[in-house]
Amino acid sequence: MMRTLIIATASAAALFSSSAFTQEQSQGTASIPDLSGIWGNPYLYGIEPPVSGPGPVVNKVRRRQTVDVDGRPLPAANAPLVSEARQLVGDYTNPILKPEAAAVVKGHAEMSLTGVGYPSPRNQCWPQGVPFIFTNDAVQLLQQGDKITMLYDEDHEVRRVRMNQPHPAPLTPSWYGDSVGHYEGDTLVIDTVGFKIGPFSAVDQYGTPFTRDLHVVERYRLIDYEAAKEAWERGGKENGRGGGIGETWAPDPNYKGKALQLQFTVEDKGVFTTAWSATKTYRRVFRGWPENVCAENPHKYGTEKDAAVPTADKPDF
C-alpha cells in the first residue's frame, strides 16, 4: 500500500526579509537584486523560444488560442495558433537534435498522435530536473547570502543553489544537478552540471533525452513591464493561456511592476548539435501556495499505464 505524507506550511518567503539581500556585492557597490517571492507565468509550460538563434523543441500540434495573456477573450478571426498542451508532439526535425535524440522524440510523437500518452518525469511523479522543471507554472525564490532556495509548485520540488562556490570534484550526480550561483550586476547567474539520469529523465515535455554531459546556465533578472509584455506576447504564440484569473497561479492582472525573466542556455554534446536557448518570463502571483502532489492518484497519470511512482522499502529517517 502506498502512503503519501503531506505537510502544509506557511509560505517560506515570510521567513526571509528582503533586507537580507541588500548587502553590497564584493565585486562592486551595486546592491544585490531582490528576486525573492512567488512568481508565476500565465501560459501552460510558458517556455518562450529565442528571438533568434537555436531554440528548443516545440509542439507540432496547434489549436486556436481563445484568451490573451490576461485571460480576456480573443476574437476568433484574430486568435493565433498555439501549442496544444493536451497533445504533445515534439518537432523531431529541429536541427538541434542529433539523430539518436530525434528518434526518441519521434517515437514519443507517434505515440501521442495515436492518443497514447508516454511517460515523463511529470506524469510518473519523478523529480523533473533541469531544465524540465522550468515548465512549472510558478517558482518561489528565497535569497540568503550563501545560498538560494528555489521552490516549485508541482510536488514540492526544491532546488538549492550554493553561492560563490565552485563545483566539487569529484561530483556525485543528483536529480537537480549541482548548482552554483553568483551575481553579475543585476543578474543572478546559476551554473548546473552533474545530473542523475533516471528511467523517465528528459530535458522537456516531449521526452528529449540527455546525457551526463548536460550543462545548463540560467540568468535571472528583473525587467520592466513593457519588456515583459513583449515577451509574454511572444510566448503566447507558442503556449496556450493557462486558465482564468481566479485560478491559483494566475498572475495579478493589475500588477504593472517589475517582472522576473529567466534566460537559459542548454548544451549536451551527446544529444544536441549545438547549444540552444530559451526564456521564461514571470510576473507576481496574487494567490497562495497550494498543495500539488502527483502521488495522490497514480492511476493513468497522463499515460495508459499506472504511474511508476517512486517507492522505498525502508524510510530515509
Side-chain angles (χ1 to χ4, degrees):
M1 179 182 296
M2 181 181 66
R3 294 183 174 88
T4 301
L5 173 64
I6 301 176
I7 302 176
T9 63
S11 173
L15 301 178
F16 298 85
S17 168
S18 62
S19 62
F21 348 116
T22 56
Q23 56 189 300
E24 301 299 306
Q25 294 187 56
S26 60
Q27 67 268 32
T29 58
S31 295
I32 292 175
D34 183 358
L35 311 178
S36 63
I38 303 176
W39 301 91
N41 183 281
Y43 290 113
L44 293 173
Y45 305 129
I47 302 300
E48 304 151 3
V51 176
S52 62
V57 172
V58 298
N59 200 350
K60 296 180 69 173
V61 175
R62 303 276 151 164
R63 65 176 177 83
R64 291 290 178 185
Q65 176 68 289
T66 58
V67 292
D68 67 9
V69 68
D70 290 316
R72 295 172 301 213
L74 284 170
N78 299 328
L81 285 170
V82 298
S83 174
E84 173 54 80
R86 293 170 181 81
Q87 188 173 34
L88 301 175
V89 181
D91 183 5
Y92 49 85
T93 65
N94 190 322
I96 68 169
L97 297 173
K98 288 189 171 182
E100 296 85 356
V104 172
V105 176
K106 182 179 181 181
H108 290 151
E110 291 172 345
M111 290 178 65
S112 188
L113 286 171
T114 64
V116 178
Y118 51 84
S120 73
R122 173 180 281 116
N123 62 37
Q124 299 300 296
C125 309
W126 282 68
Q128 294 180 20
V130 180
F132 193 112
I133 204 166
F134 300 154
T135 62
N136 274 226
D137 296 324
V139 61
Q140 183 173 181
L141 273 68
L142 311 177
Q143 287 174 277
Q144 293 175 279
D146 61 341
K147 65 181 177 181
I148 292 177
T149 304
M150 309 177 81
L151 311 177
Y152 294 87
D153 62 301
E154 292 187 5
D155 303 331
H156 310 293
E157 296 195 64
V158 180
R159 294 177 62 200
R160 295 175 176 85
V161 181
R162 304 188 324 279
M163 296 300 292
N164 304 309
Q165 296 186 35
H167 295 294
L171 181 60
T172 301
S174 59
W175 293 120
Y176 304 103
D178 184 74
S179 296
V180 295
H182 66 275
Y183 293 101
E184 294 181 1
D186 63 354
T187 302
L188 167 64
V189 182
I190 300 175
D191 185 283
T192 306
V193 294
F195 294 95
K196 184 176 181 179
I197 301 175
F200 310 110
S201 296
V203 165
D204 54 33
Q205 64 268 35
Y206 308 108
T208 304
F210 63 84
T211 72
R212 293 287 178 86
D213 292 319
L214 177 63
H215 178 204
V216 182
V217 177
E218 304 154 63
R219 302 180 68 88
Y220 295 85
R221 66 188 181 97
L222 297 174
I223 61 175
D224 293 332
Y225 174 79
E226 291 302 323
K229 184 178 179 182
E230 180 180 340
W232 291 321
E233 290 173 351
R234 186 172 72 252
K237 297 176 182 178
E238 178 58 41
N239 303 283
R241 177 67 167 78
I245 287 177
E247 294 194 1
T248 304
W249 288 128
D252 186 345
N254 299 315
Y255 179 75
K256 307 298 181 185
K258 297 284 187 179
L260 178 68
Q261 187 168 73
L262 160 63
Q263 190 275 337
F264 63 94
T265 301
V266 178
E267 55 183 351
D268 185 338
K269 63 183 180 181
V271 172
F272 303 117
T273 60
T274 184
W276 56 269
S277 63
T279 60
K280 183 160 185 173
T281 307
Y282 302 89
R283 55 184 181 181
R284 288 295 185 190
V285 171
F286 70 131
R287 297 293 295 272
W289 187 265
E291 297 285 358
N292 188 349
V293 182
C294 180
E296 285 192 308
N297 178 11
H299 302 300
K300 294 187 178 180
Y301 224 99
T303 68
E304 294 305 303
K305 297 180 180 179
D306 286 354
V309 177
T311 59
D313 295 328
K314 60 183 180 179
D316 295 329
F317 51 86

